[in-house]
Amino acid sequence: MYIEQAYKGLHDWWRYIVGVIIAIAGVFIFSVPHAAAIAYKQLKGEVDMSKLNDINYIMTLFESNINLILILLPFVGGLICLLLAVKFLHKQPLIQLTTTRKSIDWKRFWFVFFFWGILSSGLVLLDYFMSPDDYVLNFNLTPFLILCVIAIILVPLQTSFEEYLFRGYLMQGLGIITKRKWVPLITTSLVFGLLHISNPEVEKLGYIIMVYYIGTGLFLGIMTLMDEGLELALGFHAANNLFTALLVTADWTAFQTHSIFKDLSDPTEAGFIDVFMPVFVVFPILLFIFSKVYKWNNWKGKLLGRVEEQSVHEEINDIGVS
């Protein structure tokens, strides 16, 4: 019933096109501070104009905490504009974009947030103790505390924008337009993955890393449809980005922060562990665990079934009768 929630608001196909344009406009508007900061450095002669197409160079123009704010602000703008489009363009309450439950289940969010945050951090620490030469202690108390404040506030907004856009807005919109659940599941996963193609990791690891990005999108999409809500996807994505930003950084990652550790290993040697292990081993195990915890059933119907408007009308009538 998660996709069918869109039927409770205004759901003409053109509204979703306008809504996406509004969200993208929010991203561009909140990118102005970053562009203005670069322009100011240009006026001061502190920018090598020949390197402005190099994302790695751009990310070194500012102190890392300031840079983190500048690169996360566009996601905040996108989230604000997307939620405004949902409210005023679709007349759809936020709860209906978030979940099929009567209220947002924060227990689900916090469960997966701490579950994945602790597990992923444990794996990083295990790798640190097994391969200490691949890491250097990067901890510096004052900039780290500033990083904590910035990351705790802005990273969840960044990940929430991506979840509400892909697993929420586009999942529901494409679902009711195509009447098939597998179409938005596959489409949003592909688009989500391909939008990461400009990340510095792609340049270092090659296009094979797209398997990880697309696989992550598919994992989050399956989780959303099976659990009939965004709570688990929101918690997982927030934990994944937040704990990573605080724990480990590298010269070739999207988030270059004052983290506790810095990874010095050769990224070209990533291969199976960094790309294929999460998608084909870790994510399936996590889906199995969550399916047992939350008693998921009817996998075929929820992932491959038809999107039926009638079922929503029946639900509304049942509520009215009761």
Side-chain angles (χ1 to χ4, degrees):
M1 291 295 296
Y2 175 69
I3 291 178
E4 286 86 347
Q5 292 281 87
Y7 284 119
K8 297 178 182 179
L10 301 178
H11 52 272
D12 310 87
W13 64 268
W14 60 266
R15 294 180 189 272
Y16 287 95
I17 296 177
V18 174
V20 170
I21 293 173
I22 291 173
I24 293 174
V27 171
F28 277 104
I29 291 171
F30 277 64
S31 296
V32 170
H34 197 180
I38 294 175
Y40 178 72
K41 278 187 169 288
Q42 287 178 320
L43 290 175
K44 295 177 64 178
E46 298 176 1
V47 176
D48 185 343
M49 301 294 291
S50 65
K51 296 182 179 180
L52 281 182
N53 290 328
D54 184 349
I55 188 170
N56 289 305
Y57 173 73
I58 292 176
M59 293 178 68
T60 63
L61 289 177
F62 306 96
E63 190 274 333
S64 64
N65 278 333
I66 294 176
N67 187 67
L68 186 63
I69 294 174
L70 293 174
I71 65 174
L72 290 179
L73 273 179
F75 296 95
V76 177
L79 178 63
I80 292 172
C81 289
L82 176 64
L83 297 184
L84 288 175
V86 171
K87 179 177 177 62
F88 295 106
L89 182 63
H90 294 270
K91 307 295 183 182
Q92 183 184 21
L94 178 61
I95 184 69
Q96 293 176 4
L97 185 65
T98 307
T99 184
T100 58
R101 287 167 274 276
K102 294 181 180 179
S103 61
I104 298 175
D105 190 343
W106 289 106
K107 290 183 179 179
R108 275 173 154 82
F109 174 90
W110 290 116
F111 167 75
V112 75
F113 178 85
F114 286 112
F115 178 88
W116 181 243
I118 293 171
L119 179 59
S120 60
S121 298
L123 293 174
V124 171
L125 292 175
L126 177 63
D127 189 50
Y128 169 72
F129 287 113
M130 292 180 63
S131 306
D133 292 340
D134 289 342
Y135 295 88
V136 63
L137 188 63
N138 191 53
F139 182 73
N140 192 331
L141 181 59
T142 300
F144 177 76
L145 292 177
I146 296 173
L147 166 65
C148 287
V149 174
I150 296 170
I152 290 172
I153 294 174
L154 294 182
V155 169
L157 295 177
Q158 174 245 327
T159 56
S160 293
F161 170 60
E162 294 184 0
E163 290 310 306
Y164 272 112
L165 178 63
F166 291 101
R167 260 64 65 180
Y169 191 71
L170 292 177
M171 183 80 79
Q172 289 187 349
L174 289 172
I176 63 172
I177 291 171
T178 64
K179 308 297 184 184
R180 293 287 190 278
K181 295 180 180 179
W182 66 267
V183 174
L185 175 61
I186 299 300
T187 303
T188 57
S189 300
L190 287 171
V191 176
F192 174 78
L194 291 174
L195 284 179
H196 288 78
I197 201 167
S198 62
N199 280 20
E201 295 91 333
V202 178
E203 181 180 344
K204 286 292 183 179
L205 298 174
Y207 290 111
I208 191 66
I209 191 66
M210 300 308 297
V211 173
Y212 170 77
Y213 290 130
I214 295 172
T216 301
L218 185 62
F219 164 70
L220 293 168
I222 292 173
M223 201 156 51
T224 298
L225 292 180
M226 290 307 304
D227 200 54
E228 303 205 23
L230 280 176
E231 293 98 334
L232 295 181
L234 286 167
F236 181 92
H237 202 162
N240 188 73
N241 287 25
L242 179 59
F243 280 80
T244 299
L246 297 178
L247 190 58
V248 63
T249 189
D251 290 335
W252 45 270
T253 58
F255 284 175
Q256 296 181 25
T257 65
H258 289 290
S259 58
I260 297 175
F261 298 106
K262 186 171 183 178
D263 185 354
L264 302 178
S265 62
D266 183 359
T268 59
E269 298 177 357
F272 178 78
I273 293 180
D274 289 340
V275 176
F276 294 100
M277 180 71 81
V279 175
F280 297 105
V281 178
V282 177
F283 291 166
I285 292 175
L286 291 178
L287 288 174
F288 175 77
I289 293 173
F290 297 151
S291 71
K292 296 302 180 182
V293 172
Y294 296 110
K295 298 178 172 58
W296 294 345
N297 53 43
N298 188 26
W299 288 71
K300 182 178 180 180
K302 289 182 177 180
L303 300 180
L304 304 176
R306 287 184 58 83
V307 177
E308 302 287 352
E309 182 175 6
Q310 182 63 31
S311 59
V312 176
H313 295 318
E314 290 173 353
E315 176 189 331
I316 294 174
N317 290 334
D318 290 341
I319 294 174
V321 170
S322 61

